[in-house]
Amino acid sequence: MKKCIYVVEDNPNIREIIEFLLIEELHEVKACPNTKEFWFQMSKQLPDMVILDIMLPDGNGLEICNALKGNIKTHHIPVMVMSANNHLSAVKAKCDAEDFINKPFDLNDFAYRVEKYLAA
């Protein structure tokens, strides 16, 4: 059965690359350009993993991460946070995500990390 991954990324180029890569890996992908679309999708179906950008036009990926990790229904969902911010240790202190990846990132490393959390 396909694993469902939500990708929350406002940059259409990055969102399309990630979506293409994950579909090639035979996953179901819901690509969300903002927090409003993400929460709408969450109301319909819970994903197997969430990949979050930090800077979003209508919110913050860290706030989404904290909301997911603070909710008994969603705290088990693996979260990967993506950021162009070079201060990763400061970002890690603000969110309980399973993984953090700097942009730009290596696509093979990205795919490996995703598979690691979906296999758990």
Side-chain angles (χ1 to χ4, degrees), residues 75-116:
H75 76 278
H76 67 283
I77 299 171
V79 174
M80 179 189 293
V81 174
M82 302 181 295
S83 177
N85 182 336
N86 291 328
H87 303 290
L88 213 49
S89 58
V91 171
K92 287 179 181 179
K94 296 178 183 175
C95 172
D96 233 0
E98 278 70 21
D99 206 351
F100 298 84
I101 192 165
N102 273 324
K103 289 193 257 179
F105 47 81
D106 177 81
L107 292 177
N108 290 325
D109 179 50
F110 177 82
Y112 169 78
R113 291 180 188 215
V114 169
E115 294 307 319
K116 178 175 77 172

Short mmCIF file of all heavy atoms in Angstrom, two decimals, residues 75-116:
data_model
loop_
_atom_site.label_atom_id
_atom_site.label_comp_id
_atom_site.label_asym_id
_atom_site.label_seq_id
_atom_site.Cartn_x
_atom_site.Cartn_y
_atom_site.Cartn_z
N HIS A 75 0.80 12.96 17.00
CA HIS A 75 2.17 13.05 17.50
C HIS A 75 3.08 11.94 16.96
O HIS A 75 4.30 12.09 16.92
CB HIS A 75 2.20 13.04 19.04
CG HIS A 75 1.97 11.70 19.65
ND1 HIS A 75 0.70 11.19 19.82
CD2 HIS A 75 2.83 10.75 20.09
CE1 HIS A 75 0.80 9.98 20.36
NE2 HIS A 75 2.07 9.69 20.53
N HIS A 76 2.50 10.84 16.49
CA HIS A 76 3.28 9.72 15.97
C HIS A 76 3.74 9.91 14.52
O HIS A 76 4.59 9.17 14.03
CB HIS A 76 2.44 8.44 16.04
CG HIS A 76 1.25 8.48 15.11
ND1 HIS A 76 0.12 9.21 15.40
CD2 HIS A 76 1.06 7.93 13.89
CE1 HIS A 76 -0.74 9.08 14.39
NE2 HIS A 76 -0.20 8.31 13.47
N ILE A 77 3.19 10.90 13.81
CA ILE A 77 3.51 11.10 12.39
C ILE A 77 4.92 11.70 12.28
O ILE A 77 5.19 12.75 12.86
CB ILE A 77 2.48 12.05 11.72
CG1 ILE A 77 1.08 11.43 11.78
CG2 ILE A 77 2.89 12.35 10.28
CD1 ILE A 77 -0.03 12.37 11.35
N PRO A 78 5.83 11.04 11.54
CA PRO A 78 7.17 11.61 11.36
C PRO A 78 7.12 12.93 10.61
O PRO A 78 6.38 13.07 9.64
CB PRO A 78 7.91 10.55 10.54
CG PRO A 78 7.07 9.33 10.57
CD PRO A 78 5.67 9.76 10.87
N VAL A 79 7.91 13.89 11.09
CA VAL A 79 7.98 15.21 10.49
C VAL A 79 9.42 15.50 10.09
O VAL A 79 10.33 15.33 10.90
CB VAL A 79 7.49 16.31 11.46
CG1 VAL A 79 7.69 17.70 10.88
CG2 VAL A 79 6.02 16.09 11.82
N MET A 80 9.61 15.92 8.84
CA MET A 80 10.91 16.40 8.38
C MET A 80 10.78 17.89 8.07
O MET A 80 9.89 18.28 7.32
CB MET A 80 11.39 15.66 7.13
CG MET A 80 12.74 16.16 6.63
SD MET A 80 13.21 15.50 5.01
CE MET A 80 13.46 13.79 5.39
N VAL A 81 11.63 18.69 8.67
CA VAL A 81 11.60 20.13 8.45
C VAL A 81 12.72 20.50 7.48
O VAL A 81 13.86 20.08 7.65
CB VAL A 81 11.77 20.89 9.79
CG1 VAL A 81 11.88 22.38 9.56
CG2 VAL A 81 10.61 20.57 10.72
N MET A 82 12.36 21.30 6.47
CA MET A 82 13.33 21.79 5.49
C MET A 82 13.55 23.27 5.74
O MET A 82 12.59 24.00 6.01
CB MET A 82 12.79 21.65 4.06
CG MET A 82 12.41 20.29 3.65
SD MET A 82 11.80 20.26 1.95
CE MET A 82 10.31 21.24 2.06
N SER A 83 14.81 23.70 5.60
CA SER A 83 15.07 25.12 5.80
C SER A 83 16.30 25.56 5.04
O SER A 83 17.28 24.81 4.94
CB SER A 83 15.27 25.41 7.29
OG SER A 83 15.60 26.76 7.48
N ALA A 84 16.25 26.78 4.54
CA ALA A 84 17.43 27.40 3.95
C ALA A 84 18.22 28.12 5.04
O ALA A 84 19.29 28.65 4.79
CB ALA A 84 17.01 28.38 2.86
N ASN A 85 17.69 28.10 6.25
CA ASN A 85 18.33 28.74 7.40
C ASN A 85 19.56 27.92 7.82
O ASN A 85 19.46 26.72 8.05
CB ASN A 85 17.31 28.80 8.55
CG ASN A 85 17.84 29.49 9.78
OD1 ASN A 85 19.04 29.55 10.02
ND2 ASN A 85 16.93 30.01 10.58
N ASN A 86 20.69 28.57 7.92
CA ASN A 86 21.93 27.86 8.28
C ASN A 86 22.06 27.63 9.78
O ASN A 86 22.99 26.98 10.22
CB ASN A 86 23.14 28.62 7.76
CG ASN A 86 23.22 28.57 6.25
OD1 ASN A 86 22.80 27.60 5.64
ND2 ASN A 86 23.72 29.62 5.65
N HIS A 87 21.15 28.17 10.57
CA HIS A 87 21.20 28.01 12.03
C HIS A 87 20.31 26.85 12.44
O HIS A 87 19.34 27.01 13.16
CB HIS A 87 20.77 29.31 12.71
CG HIS A 87 21.60 30.48 12.29
ND1 HIS A 87 22.91 30.63 12.66
CD2 HIS A 87 21.30 31.55 11.52
CE1 HIS A 87 23.39 31.74 12.14
NE2 HIS A 87 22.44 32.32 11.44
N LEU A 88 20.68 25.65 11.98
CA LEU A 88 19.85 24.47 12.20
C LEU A 88 19.68 24.13 13.67
O LEU A 88 18.62 23.68 14.09
CB LEU A 88 20.45 23.28 11.44
CG LEU A 88 19.47 22.26 10.89
CD1 LEU A 88 18.35 22.90 10.11
CD2 LEU A 88 20.20 21.25 10.03
N SER A 89 20.70 24.38 14.48
CA SER A 89 20.58 24.06 15.91
C SER A 89 19.51 24.91 16.57
O SER A 89 18.78 24.44 17.44
CB SER A 89 21.92 24.22 16.62
OG SER A 89 22.40 25.53 16.47
N ALA A 90 19.39 26.17 16.16
CA ALA A 90 18.34 27.04 16.71
C ALA A 90 16.96 26.55 16.28
O ALA A 90 16.01 26.57 17.06
CB ALA A 90 18.56 28.48 16.25
N VAL A 91 16.86 26.08 15.04
CA VAL A 91 15.59 25.55 14.53
C VAL A 91 15.22 24.28 15.28
O VAL A 91 14.07 24.09 15.70
CB VAL A 91 15.68 25.29 13.01
CG1 VAL A 91 14.46 24.54 12.51
CG2 VAL A 91 15.86 26.59 12.25
N LYS A 92 16.19 23.40 15.50
CA LYS A 92 15.93 22.14 16.20
C LYS A 92 15.42 22.37 17.62
O LYS A 92 14.62 21.59 18.13
CB LYS A 92 17.20 21.29 16.25
CG LYS A 92 17.57 20.69 14.93
CD LYS A 92 18.85 19.88 15.05
CE LYS A 92 19.26 19.29 13.73
NZ LYS A 92 20.51 18.53 13.83
N ALA A 93 15.86 23.44 18.24
CA ALA A 93 15.44 23.74 19.61
C ALA A 93 13.98 24.18 19.68
O ALA A 93 13.36 24.13 20.73
CB ALA A 93 16.34 24.81 20.21
N LYS A 94 13.41 24.61 18.55
CA LYS A 94 12.05 25.13 18.53
C LYS A 94 11.01 24.12 18.07
O LYS A 94 9.83 24.42 18.04
CB LYS A 94 11.99 26.35 17.60
CG LYS A 94 12.83 27.51 18.07
CD LYS A 94 12.75 28.65 17.08
CE LYS A 94 13.66 29.78 17.51
NZ LYS A 94 13.70 30.84 16.51
N CYS A 95 11.45 22.92 17.68
CA CYS A 95 10.52 21.95 17.10
C CYS A 95 11.01 20.54 17.37
O CYS A 95 12.20 20.27 17.35
CB CYS A 95 10.45 22.23 15.59
SG CYS A 95 9.55 21.01 14.66
N ASP A 96 10.07 19.63 17.60
CA ASP A 96 10.38 18.24 17.93
C ASP A 96 10.33 17.31 16.73
O ASP A 96 9.96 16.15 16.86
CB ASP A 96 9.36 17.76 18.98
CG ASP A 96 10.04 17.18 20.20
OD1 ASP A 96 11.28 17.15 20.23
OD2 ASP A 96 9.32 16.74 21.11
N ALA A 97 10.70 17.81 15.56
CA ALA A 97 10.65 17.00 14.34
C ALA A 97 11.65 15.85 14.41
O ALA A 97 12.66 15.93 15.10
CB ALA A 97 10.94 17.87 13.11
N GLU A 98 11.35 14.80 13.65
CA GLU A 98 12.26 13.64 13.59
C GLU A 98 13.53 13.97 12.81
O GLU A 98 14.59 13.40 13.06
CB GLU A 98 11.56 12.45 12.92
CG GLU A 98 10.67 11.65 13.82
CD GLU A 98 9.39 12.38 14.24
OE1 GLU A 98 8.95 13.34 13.58
OE2 GLU A 98 8.82 11.97 15.25
N ASP A 99 13.42 14.88 11.82
CA ASP A 99 14.58 15.17 10.99
C ASP A 99 14.54 16.61 10.50
O ASP A 99 13.47 17.21 10.39
CB ASP A 99 14.63 14.21 9.79
CG ASP A 99 16.02 14.00 9.24
OD1 ASP A 99 16.97 14.71 9.65
OD2 ASP A 99 16.18 13.10 8.40
N PHE A 100 15.72 17.12 10.20
CA PHE A 100 15.90 18.47 9.66
C PHE A 100 16.84 18.37 8.48
O PHE A 100 17.84 17.66 8.56
CB PHE A 100 16.50 19.40 10.71
CG PHE A 100 15.63 19.58 11.92
CD1 PHE A 100 15.66 18.66 12.96
CD2 PHE A 100 14.77 20.66 12.01
CE1 PHE A 100 14.86 18.80 14.07
CE2 PHE A 100 13.95 20.81 13.13
CZ PHE A 100 14.00 19.88 14.15
N ILE A 101 16.52 19.06 7.40
CA ILE A 101 17.38 19.03 6.22
C ILE A 101 17.54 20.45 5.69
O ILE A 101 16.58 21.22 5.64
CB ILE A 101 16.82 18.06 5.16
CG1 ILE A 101 17.83 17.78 4.06
CG2 ILE A 101 15.50 18.53 4.60
CD1 ILE A 101 17.50 16.57 3.20
N ASN A 102 18.78 20.80 5.35
CA ASN A 102 19.07 22.12 4.81
C ASN A 102 18.79 22.17 3.32
O ASN A 102 19.06 21.21 2.60
CB ASN A 102 20.54 22.48 5.04
CG ASN A 102 20.78 23.13 6.37
OD1 ASN A 102 19.95 23.89 6.85
ND2 ASN A 102 21.90 22.84 6.97
N LYS A 103 18.24 23.30 2.87
CA LYS A 103 18.08 23.55 1.44
C LYS A 103 19.29 24.38 1.00
O LYS A 103 19.69 25.27 1.72
CB LYS A 103 16.81 24.35 1.15
CG LYS A 103 15.54 23.59 1.35
CD LYS A 103 14.37 24.33 0.75
CE LYS A 103 13.54 25.01 1.79
NZ LYS A 103 12.41 25.76 1.29
N PRO A 104 19.83 24.11 -0.16
CA PRO A 104 19.46 23.03 -1.08
C PRO A 104 19.95 21.70 -0.53
O PRO A 104 20.91 21.65 0.22
CB PRO A 104 20.19 23.40 -2.37
CG PRO A 104 21.37 24.19 -1.92
CD PRO A 104 20.94 24.91 -0.68
N PHE A 105 19.29 20.63 -0.92
CA PHE A 105 19.66 19.31 -0.41
C PHE A 105 19.90 18.34 -1.56
O PHE A 105 19.43 18.54 -2.67
CB PHE A 105 18.60 18.74 0.55
CG PHE A 105 17.19 18.84 0.03
CD1 PHE A 105 16.70 17.92 -0.88
CD2 PHE A 105 16.36 19.86 0.47
CE1 PHE A 105 15.40 18.02 -1.35
CE2 PHE A 105 15.06 19.96 0.01
CZ PHE A 105 14.58 19.04 -0.90
N ASP A 106 20.64 17.29 -1.26
CA ASP A 106 20.91 16.22 -2.19
C ASP A 106 19.66 15.35 -2.30
O ASP A 106 19.13 14.89 -1.28
CB ASP A 106 22.12 15.41 -1.69
CG ASP A 106 22.41 14.23 -2.58
OD1 ASP A 106 23.06 14.44 -3.62
OD2 ASP A 106 21.97 13.10 -2.24
N LEU A 107 19.19 15.12 -3.52
CA LEU A 107 17.95 14.36 -3.70
C LEU A 107 18.06 12.93 -3.22
O LEU A 107 17.11 12.36 -2.67
CB LEU A 107 17.50 14.41 -5.16
CG LEU A 107 17.06 15.78 -5.67
CD1 LEU A 107 16.70 15.71 -7.15
CD2 LEU A 107 15.88 16.31 -4.88
N ASN A 108 19.21 12.30 -3.41
CA ASN A 108 19.39 10.92 -2.94
C ASN A 108 19.34 10.86 -1.42
O ASN A 108 18.72 9.95 -0.85
CB ASN A 108 20.70 10.33 -3.46
CG ASN A 108 20.64 10.07 -4.94
OD1 ASN A 108 19.61 9.72 -5.51
ND2 ASN A 108 21.76 10.28 -5.62
N ASP A 109 19.99 11.80 -0.76
CA ASP A 109 19.96 11.86 0.71
C ASP A 109 18.53 12.11 1.20
O ASP A 109 18.06 11.47 2.14
CB ASP A 109 20.89 12.96 1.22
CG ASP A 109 20.88 13.09 2.72
OD1 ASP A 109 21.03 12.06 3.41
OD2 ASP A 109 20.71 14.23 3.22
N PHE A 110 17.82 13.01 0.53
CA PHE A 110 16.44 13.32 0.88
C PHE A 110 15.58 12.05 0.78
O PHE A 110 14.85 11.71 1.71
CB PHE A 110 15.91 14.42 -0.05
CG PHE A 110 14.47 14.76 0.18
CD1 PHE A 110 14.09 15.62 1.18
CD2 PHE A 110 13.47 14.20 -0.61
CE1 PHE A 110 12.76 15.93 1.40
CE2 PHE A 110 12.15 14.51 -0.41
CZ PHE A 110 11.79 15.38 0.59
N ALA A 111 15.69 11.33 -0.36
CA ALA A 111 14.89 10.12 -0.56
C ALA A 111 15.24 9.06 0.49
O ALA A 111 14.34 8.39 1.01
CB ALA A 111 15.13 9.57 -1.97
N TYR A 112 16.51 8.93 0.82
CA TYR A 112 16.95 7.96 1.83
C TYR A 112 16.31 8.28 3.18
O TYR A 112 15.80 7.39 3.86
CB TYR A 112 18.47 7.97 1.95
CG TYR A 112 18.97 7.21 3.15
CD1 TYR A 112 19.02 5.81 3.13
CD2 TYR A 112 19.35 7.87 4.31
CE1 TYR A 112 19.46 5.11 4.24
CE2 TYR A 112 19.78 7.17 5.43
CZ TYR A 112 19.83 5.79 5.39
OH TYR A 112 20.25 5.10 6.49
N ARG A 113 16.33 9.56 3.55
CA ARG A 113 15.76 9.96 4.85
C ARG A 113 14.27 9.68 4.90
O ARG A 113 13.76 9.19 5.91
CB ARG A 113 16.02 11.44 5.10
CG ARG A 113 17.47 11.78 5.35
CD ARG A 113 17.61 13.26 5.57
NE ARG A 113 18.97 13.71 5.63
CZ ARG A 113 19.37 14.70 6.41
NH1 ARG A 113 18.51 15.34 7.18
NH2 ARG A 113 20.62 15.08 6.40
N VAL A 114 13.56 10.00 3.85
CA VAL A 114 12.11 9.75 3.80
C VAL A 114 11.84 8.26 3.98
O VAL A 114 10.99 7.87 4.80
CB VAL A 114 11.50 10.28 2.49
CG1 VAL A 114 10.07 9.78 2.31
CG2 VAL A 114 11.54 11.81 2.45
N GLU A 115 12.53 7.43 3.24
CA GLU A 115 12.31 5.98 3.32
C GLU A 115 12.60 5.44 4.72
O GLU A 115 11.92 4.54 5.20
CB GLU A 115 13.14 5.24 2.28
CG GLU A 115 12.73 5.54 0.84
CD GLU A 115 11.25 5.32 0.56
OE1 GLU A 115 10.68 4.33 1.05
OE2 GLU A 115 10.66 6.15 -0.16
N LYS A 116 13.62 6.01 5.37
CA LYS A 116 13.98 5.57 6.71
C LYS A 116 12.81 5.76 7.69
O LYS A 116 12.50 4.87 8.47
CB LYS A 116 15.21 6.37 7.18
CG LYS A 116 15.66 6.02 8.58
CD LYS A 116 16.96 6.76 8.95
CE LYS A 116 16.67 8.20 9.28
NZ LYS A 116 17.83 8.90 9.82
#
